[in-house]
Amino acid sequence: SFVSEGWSLFCRDATFKSSFYRLDNSLMDSLFVTILCLLWALILVFVGTLLQMNMDVHVVEQALFRSFFIWWHGFPVLPGGATLAVLLMTNLGVSFWKGRYWKKVPLTLIHVGFALLILGEGLRMMSAEESHMILTQNQPVDYSESPTDWEIAVWDRSSNDDAQATVVGIDGNDKVFSVPNTPLQVRVSTDSYELLGHGIWPLEEGVRQSGPYEVSVRRRRFHHPFTIELDKFTHETHPGTDLPKSFSSEVKVRNDKGEIDRSVIISMNNPLYFKGKTFYQSGYGDSDDVSVLHVVENRWKMLPYFSLGMIAAGLLFHFVALMRRKR
């Protein structure tokens, strides 16, 4: 009762209430918080770009930009990109409401544009489908592979060498599941898989034989209703070094009937847009006849352009209004 009474007196104190109200007002819509978040975002982008020189781009993206915290030896030490997005959206919404900016069209355009820009990136991270397509010269390819997810494909070779594969996705969590249409059971962990009664192998690409069944662990595949065939790969380096200067792929795109739809050159700054997907030149293999394309399907790809247009229009209208007011 002593504690509850003391807490009641503390909460009824007018000075405390007014102090808390001022603190709330000063932080929730503070321009300082906005600038601090934007500066930290710039630092994250700079550090993430440097880390991608020696680390996989998806690992860096997950560690810095998609997580709420940056972890070090199992402890959260710094805010990640997801935390920044939440703070910026909250700060933007509170300042828009308290400042009554909806009464001014230019400021409304600017704030809504920034909100859509942040929202668009969040939607991209949640829904965009990214994969890699590895092309070998003169070999048509109709699928791309996930850089992070795995799957198990099983063929029954007992009666038909051309049997269709039964494919089961692996989500990386420890579990046991049955392969449809077969008596096989698979136990999957974070770094290995086990065909129950037939042995344990590391979770890496390879083909195993289990009686009449052929089992393949591979990257998750996304099959496309078209094929891409590499005609020629060009790789240039800076003089006297092994550093890549530019690389490009001359490819033929064939439709589902095998007819050539187009012949294009995909280079570092010249992607291919086809069937709702974007193909970027992202790398190459150990020889000059292997090219690696980054395939992205993003249903929200136009949202950032729309939001930037709103911001530009709002800034322009606001500038014109200020000039008229000065006159």
Side-chain angles (χ1 to χ4, degrees):
S1 61
F2 175 77
V3 174
S4 61
E5 183 65 19
W7 175 252
S8 300
L9 291 173
F10 184 67
C11 290
R12 286 199 298 268
D13 182 46
T15 305
F16 168 76
K17 286 185 176 180
S18 62
S19 299
F20 182 80
Y21 181 75
R22 287 197 300 270
L23 180 64
D24 178 66
N25 273 349
S26 64
L27 285 180
M28 295 302 290
D29 60 343
S30 171
L31 182 61
F32 174 75
V33 174
T34 306
I35 295 174
L36 194 63
C37 288
L38 292 176
L39 286 176
W40 183 241
L42 289 175
I43 293 173
L44 281 182
V45 171
F46 178 74
V47 173
T49 303
L50 293 180
L51 290 177
Q52 289 175 29
M53 297 175 62
N54 300 311
M55 297 174 61
D56 183 78
V57 60
H58 297 92
V59 174
V60 175
E61 187 179 62
Q62 184 63 41
L64 296 186
F65 306 127
R66 295 192 175 188
S67 60
F68 283 94
F69 295 98
I70 300 173
W71 297 79
W72 185 72
H73 292 292
F75 295 96
V77 291
L78 293 169
T83 300
L84 287 184
V86 172
L87 287 176
L88 280 173
M89 287 290 284
T90 303
N91 182 266
L92 198 66
V94 172
S95 63
F96 181 76
W97 180 259
K98 289 186 175 181
R100 301 178 182 272
Y101 293 144
W102 64 83
K103 296 182 178 180
K104 301 177 182 179
V105 175
L107 295 180
T108 299
L109 288 174
I110 295 171
H111 282 73
V112 173
F114 270 114
L116 288 178
L117 190 63
I118 299 172
L119 179 63
E121 178 59 19
L123 292 173
R124 183 199 70 82
M125 289 192 298
M126 290 187 293
S127 64
E129 188 177 276
E130 299 187 31
S131 55
H132 290 125
M133 178 176 282
I134 302 176
L135 302 175
T136 303
Q137 195 167 354
N138 300 323
Q139 294 184 14
V141 177
D142 65 349
Y143 65 88
S144 53
E145 297 179 328
S146 169
T148 56
D149 299 331
W150 296 84
E151 67 183 15
I152 291 181
V154 180
W155 292 266
D156 184 357
R157 302 299 191 188
S158 60
S159 59
N160 184 5
D161 290 339
D162 296 326
Q164 293 292 321
T166 300
V167 180
V168 179
I170 302 175
D171 58 12
N173 297 322
D174 294 354
K175 66 177 183 178
V176 177
F177 59 87
S178 299
V179 180
N181 305 318
T182 73
L184 297 177
Q185 282 191 314
V186 181
R187 184 192 304 275
V188 178
S189 62
T190 55
D191 56 0
S192 66
Y193 74 100
E194 175 187 3
L195 290 177
L196 297 188
H198 297 276
I200 301 176
W201 297 280
L203 194 60
E204 58 187 23
E205 293 182 80
V207 178
R208 311 289 180 186
Q209 199 72 31
S210 177
Y213 299 103
E214 187 178 283
V215 182
S216 173
V217 173
R218 63 194 188 189
R219 299 287 183 179
R220 180 187 175 193
R221 293 186 177 182
F222 303 95
H223 293 271
H224 310 299
F226 55 85
T227 62
I228 296 181
E229 181 180 347
L230 177 65
D231 283 339
K232 181 183 178 182
F233 178 70
T234 304
H235 176 206
E236 298 180 3
T237 59
H238 291 281
T241 69
D242 294 330
L243 297 176
K245 180 180 180 181
S246 66
F247 39 95
S248 61
S249 302
E250 297 181 26
V251 301
K252 288 190 183 75
V253 183
R254 301 178 185 271
N255 58 26
D256 54 357
K257 298 179 181 179
E259 302 168 346
I260 297 178
D261 185 280
R262 65 187 69 179
S263 296
V264 296
I265 297 177
I266 305 175
S267 58
M268 294 172 66
N269 297 310
N270 184 37
L272 165 66
Y273 302 96
F274 188 71
K275 299 289 186 180
K277 297 175 174 60
T278 307
F279 297 82
Y280 298 92
Q281 181 68 64
S282 65
Y284 46 88
D286 296 331
S287 60
D288 286 340
D289 61 350
V290 177
S291 174
V292 180
L293 303 181
H294 186 197
V295 187
V296 179
E297 183 176 10
N298 180 16
R299 300 175 183 84
W300 306 96
K301 62 183 178 181
M302 298 306 298
L303 189 56
Y305 299 102
F306 179 72
S307 60
L308 288 174
M310 291 185 65
I311 295 172
L315 290 173
L316 180 61
F317 292 157
H318 189 59
F319 176 76
V320 171
L322 288 177
M323 293 299 293
R324 287 181 176 179
R325 194 177 302 170
K326 286 185 177 181
R327 291 179 181 179

